[in-house]
C-alpha cells in the first residue's frame, strides 16, 4: 500500500466516521452509533472505499466467549474498525491499525472469518443509500480537496 493510498483510506475513513456519527439513526438506547452499528458501518465504509477504487478490504466477523459478534474491515496487513470504541476495552476507533496490533481480535477470537454472502437487508440498503448520498453531498468536497492535496505530494 502506497503512502498516497494510505492517506486516501485514512481520509475516507475519517470522513465516513463523522458522517456516521452525525447521520446514523438512533433506533433505541442500544442502537446509538457506534454501539451495535459495527456491521452496518463496516459494510457501508467498504462500499465507499470500493467506489473510490480501494477494493482490498474485506468484511470480517468474529465472535466472543459470550457468543456476541463484531464486524470490522481488514486487508492483508491492516484493520479498520470505526465502531471499536463501543467496547470498554477501547476508547477510539481504529483506522489502518496493523492486524497483529488490533486488540478486539483477541476479544472476538472465535470463528473469525470473511463474510462473502450478503443477503438483501432492507434496513441496510435504505441506510446505505441515505448515508452514501449524505457522504457524497456533504463530505465529498472536503474529500476532493484532501485527495487533490495528496496528488500534489
Amino acid at each position: 500500500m502506497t503512502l498516497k493510498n494510505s492517506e486516501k483510506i485514512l481520509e475516507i475513513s475519517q470522513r465516513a466516521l463523522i458522517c456516521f456519527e452525525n447521520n446514523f439513526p438512533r433506533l433505541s438506547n442500544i442502537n446509538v452509533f457506534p454501539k451495535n452499528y459495527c456491521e452496518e458501518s463496516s459494510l457501508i465504509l467498504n462500499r465507499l472505499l470500493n467506489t473510490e477504487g480501494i477494493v482490498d478490504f474485506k468484511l470480517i466477523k468474529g465472535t466472543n466467549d459470550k457468543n456476541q459478534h463484531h464486524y470490522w474491515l481488514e486487508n492483508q496487513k491492516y484493520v479498520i474498525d470505526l465502531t471499536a470504541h463501543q467496547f470498554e476495552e477501547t476508547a477510539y476507533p481504529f483506522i489502518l491499525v496493523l492486524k497483529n496490533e488490533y486488540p478486539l481480535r483477541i476479544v472476538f477470537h472465535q470463528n473469525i472469518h470473511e463474510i462473502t454472502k450478503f443477503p438483501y437487508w432492507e434496513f441496510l440498503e435504505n441506510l446505505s443509500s441515505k448515508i452514501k448520498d449524505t457522504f457524497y453531498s456533504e463530505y465529498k468536497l472536503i474529500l476532493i480537496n484532501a485527495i487533490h492535496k495528496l496528488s500534489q505530494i
Side-chain angles (χ1 to χ4, degrees), residues 31 49 71 134:
N31 263 50
L49 291 170
Y71 298 83
T134 302

Side-chain angles (χ1 to χ4, degrees), residues 18-33:
I18 294 166
C19 184
F20 296 167
E21 288 171 341
N22 292 334
N23 294 285
F24 268 26
R26 179 187 182 115
L27 299 178
S28 67
N29 287 337
I30 60 168
N31 263 50
V32 179
F33 186 85

